[in-house]
Amino acid sequence: MDIFIPNKEISGCGLSGIINRQGELVKGELIIESICCQMERGNGLGAGFAAYGIYPEFQEHYCLHIMADSKKALKEVEELLNHHCYMAHQEEIPTRPTPGISSAPRFRRYFVKPRYEGEVRDLCEGTPDEDDYMVNLVMHINTHIDGAYVISSGRNMGAFKGVGFPDQIANFFRLEEYSAYIWTAHNRFPTNTPGWWGGAHPFTILDWSIVHNGEISSYGTNRRYLEMFGYHCTLLTDTEVVAYLLDLLIRRHRLPMEVACTALAPPFWSEIDLMPEPEKTLYTSVRAVYGAAMLNGPFAILFAYNGGLVGLNDRVKLRPLVTAKKGEFYYMASEEAAIRAICPDPDEVWCPKAGEPVIIEMEPNTIPNQRSYLHGQIFDLSTPICRFPAEEEEE
Amino acid sequence: MASQKENSSAQEPKKKVRKKRLLSKLYPDFIIQRDLEKCIKCKICIRECTYEAHGWDEKREILTEDHAKCVGCHRCEAMCPTGAIVITKNPSAFREHDTWKPWFIKNVYKQADTGGVLLSATGCAVPFRNYWDHLVLDACQVTNPPIDPLREPMELRTFLGPKPDALQVELDDEGRFYLKTKVGPWIKLEVPIMFAAMSYGAISLHVHQGLARAAKELGTLYNTGEGGLHASLYEYGSNTIVQCASGRFGLHVDYLKAGVAIEIKIGQGAKPGIGGHLPGEKVTEEISKTRMIPVGSDALSPAPHHDIYSIEDLRGLIYALKEATEYKKLVFVKIAAVHNAPAIASGIVRAGADVVVLDGLRGGTGAAPTMFRDYVGIPVELALAAVDQRLREEGIRNWASLVISGGIRCSADVVKAIALGADAVYIGTPALIACGCTMCQRCFTGKCPWGIATNNPKLLKRLDPDTAFERIYNLVHGWAHEIQELLGAMGLNSLESLRGNRDKLRAVGLNETELRILGVKHAGE
Ligand code: SF4
Ligand code: SF4
């Protein structure tokens, strides 16, 4: 093991998120306006966006957004993808020269499906194990290919991020040209990390995307816990662990979203001790088993997936989070002003309580590949286990 | 073993028929200084000193001192009503020599006097690097608010026992989530500090009673050690770990069922690779009943368990104990931290242990050959870091809890142990010091002047169970609060976020190899 644990970053930040429960598309301008309203929450060292529903023409393919330092790194990624995937399409991610943004890395996107060999293919295609396959592939690129990082890897979604203020990053990636049914955005105020493009939010794995305001004091515990399950943190930022924890708890361990949120920001023992059964046993066990997954420290996070947007605060609410509703639109942001900037007369505005998740899922069957994690039971448990072929080759 | 007894009696030779010169008596370790102006000749010191170092000269009507008999326990000094006595290190010096320090010279004299094995108590006294003293902790500044445990909840609760990789949660008919996975049994600790195995016999019944009550009030566990369980202590069952050591003293099914856990003692940090020895002199009526051996007979625990010669045998014993207790008790397996600890620990976890206990080089004892106490085994800090990492790499860290013992002196040591990866720690020596132990390291004589490591009915009275309870309780209560403060300063409000969180540690003055094994960065990085 490499003991020189990368420095985790410390930051204060601004967040914003929008979802339409009917899958109605929202123009990029709206989220840009909302996040830019919280300019004071950033210092120009990072901003980013996640958008869902932006690649309808390839909705069945995983879209890999790759950031690379060099042509060579990109070439290595392409070789790997050619070997392990079927590729439907690839292209440069459109950008435009933007004042204040210099020395940007290269960005390309690849629309792929896992390539299983022989019989495995029939067994695994279309099963949740495709997801495992992609997670392994992402980990492989991040840890083995020098200078290449996967910025996002979900279906019909993508993340755009870099060093700059949110308006600059939005302009650079031409985000006003996209429309999405879920948007999240981040404005970053790092205090100790060199400005590096990979360190900006959102952090993603598959279609999970996280934007985060706060510091995860339990990072060391979370990171070592995730290592036991094959997740390796390479992006030098504590937020990365949140993405992997969600993937582990919700997708792999199949915990219902509500329970997974409880694992991340659990009730205090004094509250659990007073709960009736079956909750008492449940939450005692969740804390005992998932103690290393608890996020400790001040945080407000927004995370999104194909079908939902969730806001969550730490268990003593040390960072701000406001939510609002207007018809089928739901808004979440660090400041009420950021919501009112784009929705001046919401039906309802409220501040979620410490540790209480706000989970907004779309109506069933609204979008392709929709996922719902409320109440659990998402996948058939008897799906076959498929391994990432690279593992065997290497050993 | 018999030779140990010879040696211990050599400390205070009986009348010899043939006049033999004992060189070890010529150079006492301590000098008893009596201020004759303050001394009122009350003779309390004579009564208090169990080693008969104080005497009374009838003819001259003065008190006398036999410095060679003094073990430096400070009892007489503490009890003298006028403060007339001071016990000091003997200033008389040998010619300086860095290799031949007085310690070695005097040990050679002792062994040449008797031909015996050198005997000691407590833990390793050699100044090997103490890693706790080279680790420092983090605290929040600006970007992350520290948390004040006096205002906010600060949780130290810990569950010991195997945890599944994942939980399965489902909805019941009323739309409530419930747990489908079968979990437990687990042991709930309100503080991550338990009391290490110290047998009734090695320490007094009163200390045992104090430990049991303190464990109950604090919401933690104490450990019976290998001497069985006194009838008066069965009521503390839910706070008791019963030990199953190689001698199997006092072991019967009611005993096994009396606690919440059974600890199989394979080894002890103070004396890895050898068994135990309770001299017949310490086996009183009560002890004989509890241990189920005749009064006055030596209680010898063999070096190995005679039914464990391999890891499969250990598995056999673990499951035999689980069967006997209907899978309601956790099984701990305690080993001394030795060179190959990670591989051994992995084997123990795979053999079915619920908790692995690592007892380090500095682990205490009531009696151990000095060479073992000082030179066998490795520091627990390194063993802990290596074992935790190994179990994680094998993906089995959650199959068992990890408890360490041996050399924990303060709450910061506890915090560092947990940050390195321990689930909880055991303390032994600090609990005895809380009761008044002065670390004279002569527990094996049965004469402990403080009434701690003895069951002599007269000495027992020097420490009553209530005092023992109160002082031990206070100590751990204070430590628990300090742990909360340290956690809060790091911005954490729950102990599980510290567990294995080596990012919270930095090393000062350690080399690359040590840093690698501990998995911590150097301060400044
Ligand atoms: S052995 Fe203890 S009580 Fe006796 S003289 Fe020495 S210090 Fe005093
Ligand atoms: S317990 Fe008693 S005999 Fe043992 S070191 Fe402490 S004071 Fe000395």
Side-chain angles (χ1 to χ4, degrees):
Chain A
M1 184 200 68
D2 180 11
I3 71 144
F4 294 101
I5 306 141
N7 260 316
K8 89 187 150 74
E9 73 137 46
I10 293 172
S11 54
C13 305
L15 315 174
S16 188
I18 311 174
I19 181 172
N20 182 285
R21 288 194 66 238
Q22 302 290 355
E24 195 179 299
L25 293 174
V26 179
K27 282 215 154 70
E29 280 112 355
L30 221 58
I31 189 78
I32 298 170
E33 198 181 333
S34 171
I35 193 73
C36 288
C37 166
Q38 306 180 91
M39 207 54 105
E40 290 299 322
R41 295 191 153 267
N43 63 358
L45 286 181
F49 299 81
Y52 289 78
I54 52 175
Y55 301 124
E57 61 278 40
F58 297 110
Q59 63 191 27
E60 293 306 322
H61 289 77
Y62 292 89
C63 175
L64 296 182
H65 280 198
I66 305 283
M67 176 184 93
D69 291 349
S70 62
K71 268 209 175 105
K72 184 175 156 282
L74 263 186
K75 220 177 131 230
E76 277 180 57
V77 172
E78 272 160 35
E79 268 167 27
L80 187 81
L81 292 182
N82 281 330
H83 189 67
H84 291 300
C85 304
Y86 299 107
M87 201 179 298
H89 181 64
Q90 57 158 306
E91 65 189 11
E92 211 169 286
I93 298 180
T95 56
R96 67 163 75 90
T98 303
I101 295 217
S102 54
S103 63
R106 288 155 213 273
F107 286 96
R108 262 189 104 72
R109 56 193 171 206
Y110 302 87
F111 296 88
V112 301
K113 275 190 179 185
R115 181 202 291 268
Y116 294 112
E117 302 304 331
E119 284 174 26
V120 189
R121 183 179 160 180
D122 303 330
L123 280 172
C124 295
E125 225 167 24
T127 70
D129 291 296
E130 285 198 331
D131 287 340
D132 279 338
Y133 188 102
M134 290 308 294
V135 171
N136 285 330
L137 191 64
V138 170
M139 292 296 149
H140 189 85
I141 295 172
N142 285 345
T143 51
H144 286 76
I145 301 185
D146 230 17
Y149 297 92
V150 180
I151 298 304
S152 64
S153 49
R155 289 186 174 113
N156 202 5
M157 60 79 72
F160 306 88
K161 63 184 190 177
V163 176
F165 280 103
D167 53 329
Q168 294 170 320
I169 295 300
N171 186 56
F172 178 79
F173 284 110
R174 308 161 71 138
L175 290 186
E176 74 286 349
E177 294 170 9
Y178 296 83
S179 291
Y181 32 73
I182 307 172
W183 280 102
T184 60
H186 189 256
N187 184 14
R188 182 163 174 242
F189 197 131
T191 46
N192 73 340
T193 339
W196 97 284
W197 286 62
H201 299 210
F203 286 89
T204 66
I205 184 74
L206 301 172
D207 62 329
W208 299 110
S209 73
I210 322 292
V211 288
H212 164 228
N213 168 16
E215 175 174 343
I216 297 172
S217 307
S218 54
Y219 176 75
T221 297
N222 304 140
R223 181 178 53 81
R224 295 186 76 220
Y225 173 67
L226 286 165
E227 274 166 8
M228 273 183 44
F229 295 94
Y231 295 89
H232 299 282
C233 298
T234 52
L235 296 174
L236 314 185
T237 305
D238 54 1
T239 311
E240 199 181 3
V241 298
V242 185
Y244 301 156
L245 284 172
L246 289 172
D247 189 55
L248 178 69
L249 267 51
I250 298 173
R251 191 182 59 81
R252 277 174 61 186
H253 290 175
R254 303 182 156 82
L255 290 184
M257 175 64 78
E258 301 91 319
V259 177
C261 287
T262 317
L264 300 183
F268 288 99
W269 287 118
S270 52
E271 299 168 89
I272 293 176
D273 290 346
L274 297 175
M275 285 178 183
E277 293 294 358
E279 282 87 359
K280 188 171 170 179
T281 305
L282 172 64
Y283 292 115
T284 301
S285 305
V286 165
R287 286 200 64 176
V289 172
Y290 290 105
M294 178 202 300
L295 297 173
N296 216 316
F299 70 82
I301 55 178
L302 297 184
F303 57 93
Y305 49 94
N306 273 326
L309 174 66
V310 179
L312 181 66
N313 258 140
D314 64 77
R315 35 192 222 140
V316 280
K317 189 138 183 164
L318 294 171
R319 290 292 154 100
L321 184 65
V322 184
T323 42
K325 170 184 185 316
K326 171 86 185 170
E328 292 298 319
F329 279 102
Y330 283 82
Y331 302 87
M332 304 184 190
S334 301
E335 296 174 16
E336 194 174 330
I339 297 174
R340 294 211 181 252
I342 52 172
C343 173
D345 58 338
D347 305 337
E348 232 180 291
V349 183
W350 75 100
C351 293
K353 280 196 199 150
E356 259 177 34
V358 180
I359 305 169
I360 308 296
E361 287 205 338
M362 291 178 169
E363 292 293 333
N365 307 317
T366 309
I367 56 164
N369 292 310
Q370 185 170 347
R371 303 198 189 208
S372 166
Y373 300 104
L374 271 176
H375 314 316
Q377 79 297 132
I378 355 145
F379 296 120
D380 176 10
L381 286 168
S382 60
T383 44
I385 298 302
C386 304
R387 293 186 62 205
F388 179 42
E391 284 177 4
E392 274 130 329
E393 285 160 29
E394 274 160 24
E395 270 141 32
Chain B
M1 283 297 168
S3 55
Q4 290 182 12
K5 268 177 71 186
E6 276 167 36
N7 180 59
S8 61
S9 59
Q11 306 277 331
E12 51 270 300
K14 300 190 185 90
K15 280 237 163 64
K16 293 281 185 297
V17 186
R18 178 166 60 86
K19 204 169 181 195
K20 200 160 124 187
R21 189 166 203 205
L22 296 178
L23 287 186
S24 59
K25 294 289 155 192
L26 297 180
Y27 312 102
D29 292 334
F30 298 96
I31 297 289
I32 307 165
Q33 290 183 337
R34 193 187 316 277
D35 185 337
L36 292 177
E37 290 199 352
K38 287 188 185 162
C39 177
I40 50 168
K41 301 187 180 172
C42 67
K43 298 184 199 163
I44 286 178
C45 52
I46 301 179
R47 281 206 305 282
E48 291 294 331
C49 179
T50 51
Y51 293 93
E52 294 163 9
H54 295 272
W56 176 249
D57 187 326
E58 281 291 355
K59 243 179 43 220
R60 292 160 61 208
E61 295 221 323
I62 52 163
L63 284 136
T64 58
E65 300 87 30
D66 184 346
H67 305 297
K69 286 182 178 167
C70 174
V71 303
C73 76
H74 295 267
R75 177 79 189 181
C76 56
E77 183 182 317
M79 293 298 146
C80 174
T82 62
I85 302 171
V86 175
I87 306 295
T88 58
K89 238 167 113 177
N90 186 353
S92 149
F94 294 91
R95 184 181 300 282
E96 232 155 79
H97 193 294
D98 252 358
T99 305
W100 283 100
K101 301 207 169 94
W103 164 259
F104 292 104
I105 298 173
K106 288 183 185 179
N107 279 345
V108 168
Y109 288 155
K110 274 186 200 163
Q111 293 190 283
D113 282 345
T114 66
V117 171
L118 295 169
L119 208 55
S120 299
T122 74
C124 174
V126 179
F128 290 119
R129 176 163 280 179
N130 190 320
Y131 290 92
W132 305 132
D133 292 338
H134 288 264
L135 292 172
V136 289
L137 294 163
D138 199 13
C140 297
Q141 302 289 299
V142 184
T143 54
N144 180 352
I147 302 167
D148 182 349
L150 294 175
R151 292 158 198 266
E152 308 270 354
M154 187 60 66
E155 304 181 310
L156 302 184
R157 190 178 288 182
T158 297
F159 283 89
L160 295 184
K163 319 282 179 358
D165 286 351
L167 290 177
Q168 208 184 326
V169 177
E170 297 205 342
L171 279 176
D172 67 9
D173 303 336
E174 294 167 45
R176 299 175 306 183
F177 290 116
Y178 73 96
L179 185 66
K180 204 161 174 221
T181 316
K182 164 105 189 58
V183 295
W186 289 327
I187 293 172
K188 179 168 82 179
L189 302 180
E190 296 295 353
V191 281
I193 302 167
M194 303 184 287
F195 300 117
M198 292 180 282
S199 68
Y200 168 45
I203 58 170
S204 81
L205 180 61
H206 291 174
V207 179
H208 250 213
Q209 288 165 339
L211 287 168
R213 261 183 74 193
K216 187 170 183 181
E217 297 293 320
L218 292 160
T220 183
L221 305 180
Y222 86 107
N223 189 315
T224 61
E226 61 174 314
L229 186 60
H230 189 264
S232 69
L233 291 170
Y234 274 78
E235 59 172 297
Y236 296 101
S238 53
N239 299 88
T240 306
I241 302 167
V242 297
Q243 202 179 50
C244 166
S246 59
R248 307 282 156 91
F249 297 117
L251 203 143
H252 47 86
V253 73
D254 293 336
Y255 167 77
L256 292 177
K257 287 183 174 170
V260 287
I262 303 165
E263 178 172 274
I264 300 174
K265 175 191 165 187
I266 299 292
Q268 186 178 344
K271 42 182 170 180
I274 59 172
H277 174 211
L278 187 73
E281 291 88 325
K282 284 182 102 169
V283 180
T284 61
E285 180 72 37
E286 281 296 298
I287 290 170
S288 107
K289 272 193 222 150
T290 307
R291 292 211 176 201
M292 308 196 300
I293 54 170
V295 177
S297 64
D298 285 8
L300 294 165
S301 322
H305 284 249
H306 284 307
D307 52 2
I308 303 180
Y309 283 79
S310 67
I311 193 82
E312 311 89 87
D313 292 344
L314 174 65
R315 186 179 173 83
L317 180 58
I318 290 173
Y319 281 93
L321 293 174
K322 289 194 175 198
E323 286 287 341
T325 54
E326 295 146 23
Y327 293 83
K328 288 180 186 151
K329 315 287 175 189
L330 293 189
V331 175
F332 290 36
V333 175
K334 170 172 166 177
I335 56 163
V338 290
H339 304 351
N340 213 8
I344 299 167
S346 160
I348 292 172
V349 173
R350 291 175 191 281
D354 301 311
V355 176
V356 180
V357 182
L358 297 170
D359 190 19
L361 176 66
R362 294 189 193 88
T365 178
T370 309
M371 294 302 117
F372 279 81
R373 183 194 74 167
D374 286 351
Y375 300 112
V376 183
I378 63 172
V380 78
E381 307 88 301
L382 299 177
L384 163 62
V387 167
D388 175 66
Q389 185 57 30
R390 170 71 173 259
L391 296 181
R392 283 167 187 273
E393 279 161 16
E394 293 186 16
I396 57 175
R397 178 63 186 81
N398 51 319
W399 292 13
S401 299
L402 194 52
V403 170
I404 65 141
S405 57
I408 300 275
R409 305 152 301 170
C410 60
S411 59
D413 290 353
V414 179
V415 170
K416 292 170 193 177
I418 288 173
L420 281 178
D423 286 287
V425 306
Y426 265 140
I427 58 167
T429 308
L432 301 189
I433 296 178
C435 293
C437 161
T438 52
M439 294 295 283
C440 72
Q441 307 167 39
R442 285 292 174 277
C443 320
F444 51 84
T445 63
K447 294 182 182 176
C448 176
W450 293 93
I452 298 165
T454 179
N455 277 289
N456 174 323
K458 260 172 74 189
L459 298 179
L460 209 59
K461 288 193 204 131
R462 295 186 178 184
L463 178 70
D464 63 85
D466 292 342
T467 308
F469 154 69
E470 194 183 299
R471 301 189 59 84
I472 296 167
Y473 174 87
N474 284 348
L475 175 77
V476 177
H477 185 266
W479 283 19
H481 187 70
E482 287 175 339
I483 294 171
Q484 291 181 323
E485 293 278 2
L486 289 166
L487 271 181
M490 287 187 269
L492 302 174
N493 56 12
S494 183
L495 195 66
E496 53 255 53
S497 297
L498 177 71
R499 196 158 285 126
N501 197 342
R502 299 183 186 179
D503 292 19
K504 297 292 180 210
L505 297 170
R506 287 291 186 274
V508 178
L510 296 183
N511 67 34
E512 292 280 337
T513 310
E514 294 166 316
L515 293 174
R516 178 173 52 77
I517 295 166
L518 291 170
V520 298
K521 290 202 255 189
H522 202 278
E525 272 189 284

